[in-house]
Amino acid sequence: MGYNKLLERQIKKHLTTSGVLDENLMSFIQSIDDSYNAFERDKRLSEHAFQVSEKDYLDIYDRLKSEINIRNQSILKLMEAIRNMEPDSDMSILPGVDNLLDVVNYLDAQIKKRKAAEASLKIAKEEAEKATQAKSEFLSIMSHEIRTPLSVVIGLGNILFRQNPRPDQVNNLQVLRTSADNLLALINDILDFSKIDASKLELEHAVFDIHKTVDEIYQAISIKAQEKDNLMSIYIDTKIPTWVYGDSHRITQVLNNLLSNAVKFTQKGKVRLSLQLENISDSRCTILFSVSDTGIGIEKDKIQYIFTPFSQSSSSITREFGGTGLGLAITSELLQLMDSQIKLETEIGRGSIFYFSLDLVYISAIEKIPINTAPQEQDLNKAKILLVEDTPFNILFTTQLLEGWNTVVDVAENGAIAVDKMKKSRYDIVIMDLHMPVMDGYTSTKKIREFNQETPIMALTASATSDIREKIFAAGMQDYVTKPFDSDQLFSQMKRAMKK
Ligand code: ADP
């Protein structure tokens, strides 16, 4: 029976006279009954709930414990991995296992640090690339600036040679020519330095007269030696064969570097170049080259630096003697390419000896050396040439050179005048300088090509950049000669261009 029926009966019995309950009392009894029933239901439910958690409590606890264990293991592994990745990192800055958030923050900080390091590396790389680019641009401009006047020296020297010089002038002219050639070689070698640096330099082997080569180097250096009141001497072992096979240009460069230094760092002293035969077989000979001086000498602890690029033994050297610090670096690299090694003995205040051995193939005196000594007839058959050139010196010697080949030369001082002259007259060939005021050679050629496609145009340039070929072809020129040019080469290129 419900609790409300019991309550109803008791109320009827004790609280009413008629035994009838009014409506209000009935609803009161009903709400008490509802509350009681709700309480009973909650009591049953809570009793059941308590029984479930008690049953599973141990199980949940175990699971939680193992989860925590796994988590700690993972953190330990993570920390181990961090340590392996960064063995040098300070362990104490690694957080403990009990705080996963610390580990995460630590990792986050490390990642940020790495990203920052990567970014600065990228910037450094870009800056290094920019610097390399600036360096090669600088070298190219510098070589251009030096080559232009040098081409005048070489060119005029050659012209003077052809003009039947007096016997007493011949020697001076020879020295002038060798000095200018050596200077040009040096400029080219500075340009080549980047090649040496990138191991891209290759030797060129040919047969040459080593006695004559060394004598010419000596002659050219002697003038410098006299300027500094130095006594210069040379010794060439007469047993050294005349004709050897090797890169005469590079050997010359090495000796020039060593002799220039010897003269530079010696005042009122002695400089000596010596070649001794160390060994000789049927086909090979080993020659010991040495360059000695009685100059300032080099401190022992500086020796290791002077062979590295752009290094000098002290900063006062730069102030007092100038120089780039490139010479010995190039020298030792070149000798390594020739399977040799530069050696040095030196004493402060007493002087230095730089020496090295070269193993060279030689050609015995009985073997015939085919040398073409017969002068070639150079005649361009009264060809009409338009020389487009702004530098008066270049105009002077190029005109003389061209006229010597039986030609008629007309000069235009810039690209705009050249366009004008091409409209008015007919020429067999145009020799076009590239860098000129008012209008440069490229623009001038493009304008000429608008109305004249036939006349060959040949560029004359002091530029040594590798893209010069594409640039001159794109503008409409057929060929180019680099200043200072070899006159025989210019002649044959002009002849070929006009044949076409
Ligand atoms: P540069 O002569 O242009 O400075 P080098 O590479 O030829 O560069 O020489 C590097 C340095 O070695 C010179 O600056 C100088 O300090 C030292 N050096 C080279 N040759 C001699 C020498 N014969 N006597 C004294 N010091 C020398």
Side-chain angles (χ1 to χ4, degrees), residues 193-201:
F193 185 71
S194 45
K195 279 193 208 162
I196 295 178
D197 218 17
S199 312
K200 281 184 183 158
L201 190 122

